[in-house]
Amino acid sequence: MNYDRVLNSRIAQVPPSGIRKFFDVVSTMKDAISLGVGEPDFTSQWSVNDAAIYSLRQGRTHYTANAGLMALREAACDYLEARFGTRYDPKTEIFMTVGASEGIDLALRALVEPGDEVLMPDPSYVSYSPGVIFAGGVPRPVVTREEDEFRLTPEALKAALTPRTKALILPYPNNPTGAIMERPHLEAIADALRDTDVIVISDEIYAELTYGGKKHASFASIPGMKERTITLNGFSKAFAMTGWRMGYACAPAEILRVMLKMHQYTILCAPTAGQYAALEALKVGRETDYAYVNEMVRTYDRRRRIMLDAYKQMGLSCFEPRGAFYTFPCIKSTGLSSQQFAERLLREKKVACVPGTAFGESGEGYVRCSYATATDKVIEAMERMKEFVRGIRN
Amino acid sequence: MIRDLELSILEILFNDARTTPARIAVMTGHSEEEVTAVIRSLEAQKIILKYPAMINWDRVEADQVEAVIEVRVTPQRDEGFDAIAEQIYRFDEVSSVYLMSGAYDLMVTVKASSMKQLALFVAEKLSTLDHVLSTATHFVLKKYKLEGVIFEDRRQDERLVISP
């Protein structure tokens, strides 16, 4: 059979993730230290696991409402208001998704007509651009630069806007750069969009992970912006629950209804045990003033500082990332490309990082190093990287 | 601010007492001199008492025995429980003493090289102290977790080595 004739060419032509290629190389090396991991090294709290086990013991093995358990929607809305000052109606403006990833897909498919353009900062998370193509749209990367601390600037945004621009994906705190956008930066973006109908898909999955006294600012909390914003969040990063696949989408009722329709027909509901686990995470968080989250943030912050200090010693420039759990050092001064740097570092020193190019063309000259790895391993990896860079320079 | 730094230093050293002041300085964003000064002050205030390693003795000496002993005592005038607690914790065999609420007063952990030796200690030294009303000895069979550390944690890092 000629599969090229049966497969959807638009989808078949999307290249596999650059990360995937590198994954195959790394997985063959047994004792490498990986700084390539995009998920917490913490595990979900035992009380969260226990709540899911208890739900199973109670025989709660059925579907829930399409939008998710009402108690969970209410808890999530209270959480968003308490932590980030955005208020959503649990009845009409939020539903539970299978990870924030499902939310990205639904948001794009709910908005994009064939040929519509969707803007996104470049470099960014690997799924946005393919997600736009799957939805029939045209991805338009907007280059962000180290000198702007990888923020999306209103100037770059305005230059990229066209009559076909349907949406802007705003993923801050950012993977892979660790950049954040503070309130004044978001206000400038809001001003640039105010006279347009562009919808903002604000992927705030790393919202809890900010450092140096910088609290996350949610785009929907900027006056006037809630009506044009789809806020995506979840439990993966904030509560170290990646494998539970629990996320949520919030938006004005009119938009959410369309997203929920697709969710209804394709997913039905987020996993029930996962919903009980998520509910417990929010409950424990509220009761303990988010002690577990705060402990993770303190630990990440210390590792972040260890990495930044190490880059300084290596003579690699790196702007100070204040969010997520990634550093994005510039490796141009080594004379190597991102791919060469990552491959040689892995082969010669058994340290894995991800070439910046996996996150878009403007990631060239950078690598992503995650500090979601045990502190002693981060320290060891930095020692090896120091030797590697020294070796190249001599 | 200094309080934050103190707490950070305590948390870091509690996790790994070998962390050098230079490393702590990097981890907290303070100068090495500042960190050293805070550590000295924490030591002087007897907040940091010692820098021991956490050892799983079960894997070293199979014949060491440990018991938790519930001790009921008569508190003494003016001294409360402190004097009798001191009489107990001064014994080398005693590794920890806690004043407890509830059905008994002092929880004493004792280590010895044999069960017989431990029993003799309780019978001859502990029970015979003035003001000790009664003891109940519970031998420790296995330790699973101490100070937040799971002794035989079989969990491994099973995350994908590279993920987006």
Side-chain angles (χ1 to χ4, degrees), chain A residues 12-285:
Chain A
Q13 277 165 17
V14 172
S17 163
I19 282 207
R20 185 73 226 174
K21 248 185 347 202
F22 212 63
F23 174 81
D24 296 336
V25 185
V26 182
S27 22
T28 59
M29 301 188 74
K30 273 275 163 270
D31 45 352
I33 300 178
S34 181
L35 305 178
V37 186
E39 62 171 320
D41 56 316
F42 296 89
T43 49
S44 52
Q45 289 167 280
W46 187 255
S47 62
V48 165
N49 302 354
D50 189 55
I53 294 166
Y54 180 70
S55 78
L56 297 177
R57 284 215 191 100
Q58 297 285 98
R60 290 174 171 157
T61 58
H62 304 281
Y63 299 129
T64 67
N66 295 131
L69 297 165
M70 187 41 113
L72 177 56
R73 281 181 270 158
E74 284 168 352
C77 286
D78 290 346
Y79 162 83
L80 287 176
E81 185 171 25
R83 300 294 275 179
F84 310 116
T86 42
R87 182 69 215 172
Y88 287 100
D89 180 352
K91 288 195 188 69
T92 56
E93 294 180 327
I94 185 171
F95 70 90
M96 295 296 142
T97 56
V98 179
S101 297
E102 190 205 344
I104 298 169
D105 177 47
L106 294 182
L108 289 169
R109 284 195 288 143
L111 299 170
V112 171
E113 306 267 6
D116 279 352
E117 297 176 354
V118 178
L119 308 179
M120 67 203 68
D122 183 304
S124 265
Y125 180 57
V126 297
S127 298
Y128 301 137
S129 176
V132 173
I133 296 171
F134 296 159
V138 182
R140 291 279 181 228
V142 183
V143 174
T144 59
R145 297 174 198 288
E146 186 177 5
E147 46 270 38
D148 300 318
E149 302 194 321
F150 288 106
R151 284 186 297 262
L152 176 67
T153 62
E155 295 77 25
L157 171 63
K158 276 183 209 152
L161 285 172
T162 74
R164 300 259 18 206
T165 306
K166 178 55 81 65
L168 162 68
I169 300 177
L170 198 61
Y172 292 90
N174 186 264
N175 172 10
T177 62
I180 61 168
M181 301 263 292
E182 294 180 68
R183 189 160 292 275
H185 306 127
L186 294 181
E187 279 164 356
I189 296 299
D191 288 340
L193 294 178
R194 226 173 275 278
D195 298 325
T196 71
D197 281 330
V198 172
I199 299 291
V200 173
I201 301 170
S202 189
D203 182 351
E204 303 181 18
I205 191 71
Y206 291 98
E208 287 285 0
L209 308 183
T210 57
Y211 312 103
K214 307 283 186 197
K215 207 143 169 24
H216 173 68
S218 188
F219 191 73
S221 72
I222 305 294
M225 288 301 113
K226 194 182 157 191
E227 62 165 28
R228 69 165 74 236
T229 304
I230 300 171
T231 303
L232 303 176
N233 207 327
F235 299 87
S236 294
K237 308 305 184 327
F239 298 96
M241 289 176 61
T242 42
W244 291 98
R245 307 309 304 122
M246 281 300 304
Y248 45 91
C250 308
E254 291 76 4
I255 295 180
L256 202 85
R257 203 176 299 130
V258 175
M259 289 172 66
L260 183 59
K261 180 157 52 181
M262 283 187 285
H263 176 76
Q264 217 165 57
Y265 282 125
T266 57
I267 302 286
L268 231 157
C269 69
T272 302
Q275 293 192 49
Y276 282 103
L279 182 58
E280 176 71 10
L282 292 176
K283 189 167 151 260
V284 175

Side-chain angles (χ1 to χ4, degrees), chain B residues 14-15 52-55 96 98 143-151:
Chain B
F14 184 80
N15 273 316
M54 183 173 289
I55 294 166
S96 69
Y98 300 84
K143 266 189 210 173
Y144 293 98
K145 187 178 184 182
L146 182 66
E147 294 284 8
V149 177
I150 296 172
F151 276 30

Side-chain angles (χ1 to χ4, degrees), chain A residues 19 22-23 26-27 34 36-41 43 125-126 175 298 302 305-306 309 326 352 354 359 368 372-373 375 379, chain B residues 4 7-12 15-16 18-19 22-30 155-164:
Chain A
I19 282 207
F22 212 63
F23 174 81
V26 182
S27 22
S34 181
V37 186
E39 62 171 320
D41 56 316
T43 49
Y125 180 57
V126 297
N175 172 10
R298 287 201 299 278
R302 288 171 194 150
R305 290 170 188 275
I306 288 171
D309 179 67
Y326 308 105
V354 183
F359 305 95
R368 186 192 77 172
T373 285
T375 306
I379 292 171
Chain B
D4 277 357
L7 290 175
S8 292
I9 289 174
L10 291 174
E11 195 174 61
I12 291 166
N15 273 316
D16 184 358
R18 293 169 307 172
T19 316
R23 174 78 66 198
I24 297 174
V26 169
M27 289 166 97
T28 57
H30 289 79
R155 282 185 310 189
Q156 289 178 339
D157 192 346
E158 290 171 346
R159 299 177 298 161
L160 298 174
V161 285
I162 299 276
S163 54

